[in-house]
Amino acid sequence: GWANKGDDEFVEISPNGEVIFSWNGSEHISDEQWAQNAKIGNWPTRWNRRLKVTKKGKDWLHINSVEKLNDGSYLISSPNINSILKISKSGDIVEWIGGANIVHDPVQLNGSIIFSEKFPNEEKSDLVERITVLKPSGEKSFLLEGRLRAVRGITVLEDGWLNIVSS
């Protein structure tokens, strides 16, 4: 979310209102890193609406989820740079997972990262959503491809099952 419109950041706040941690994207992501990741592959322009967003404009990063991990680090997703970032407790980007097309809601389960991403479907002139499982080895597998419209929440339940919210 935003503390200051125009610059993307997230803030962790205690129940009594104390700021525990804050992270500001513009302090950690260069213009070059943003530009390298903002374009979605070789998609036709009509699918590449992210090109209309600039790092100088508001919502340039569009952080749409933050997951605090057991080690105290954070997993964030940014569809505007098609990336999942792991942020250390000190605020450094310790892992940058690029190529996650219009990514939403990454969660960690048994060392794997599970997230939703979208791909163009030329036949339907629409985007197809799928759940991607990225294993620590880098191997990807896919779940529910084309069955979901817009994933807006993935929660790992106590038994390891996933609760996926789609609108």
Side-chain angles (χ1 to χ4, degrees):
W2 292 298
N4 300 304
K5 274 243 191 230
D7 200 1
D8 287 16
E9 62 185 304
F10 73 88
V11 179
E12 181 181 357
I13 301 172
S14 73
N16 65 2
E18 177 187 356
V19 173
I20 305 297
F21 181 83
S22 67
W23 186 85
N24 185 309
S26 64
E27 293 173 4
H28 299 276
I29 298 173
S30 70
D31 290 351
E32 293 78 23
Q33 288 171 310
W34 184 87
Q36 286 173 350
N37 290 280
K39 186 175 180 184
I40 304 172
N42 295 316
W43 290 14
T45 302
R46 72 177 183 274
W47 294 112
N48 212 332
R49 65 186 175 84
R50 301 290 181 217
L51 291 176
K52 296 177 184 172
V53 178
T54 66
K55 188 168 186 263
K56 308 259 185 276
K58 64 181 178 181
D59 199 24
W60 62 274
L61 192 56
H62 192 82
I63 297 171
N64 62 25
S65 68
V66 178
E67 173 91 6
K68 189 167 186 180
L69 303 176
N70 291 336
D71 65 2
S73 63
Y74 302 86
L75 204 58
I76 69 169
S77 61
S78 169
N80 285 8
I81 59 169
N82 305 299
S83 298
I84 298 167
L85 306 177
K86 185 175 182 182
I87 311 299
S88 71
K89 292 184 272 190
S90 64
D92 296 324
I93 298 172
V94 294
E95 189 171 3
W96 187 310
I97 302 166
N101 296 310
I102 313 178
V103 63
H104 279 80
D105 301 300
V107 295
Q108 195 169 45
L109 177 63
N110 300 327
S112 295
I113 298 174
I114 301 167
F115 55 94
S116 74
E117 60 181 333
K118 293 184 181 186
F119 292 88
N121 180 333
E122 293 294 336
E123 292 174 13
K124 295 182 179 179
S125 294
D126 201 355
L127 294 173
V128 173
E129 188 132 6
R130 70 181 177 198
I131 303 299
T132 300
V133 179
L134 177 63
K135 295 181 181 173
S137 66
E139 178 188 346
K140 284 185 176 182
S141 60
F142 308 104
L143 308 170
L144 303 172
E145 189 164 346
R147 292 192 51 202
L148 305 168
R149 178 75 181 136
V151 172
R152 293 297 176 256
I154 301 175
T155 305
V156 178
L157 304 176
E158 288 181 25
D159 55 8
W161 288 58
L162 297 174
N163 183 356
I164 300 171
V165 177
S166 176
S167 60

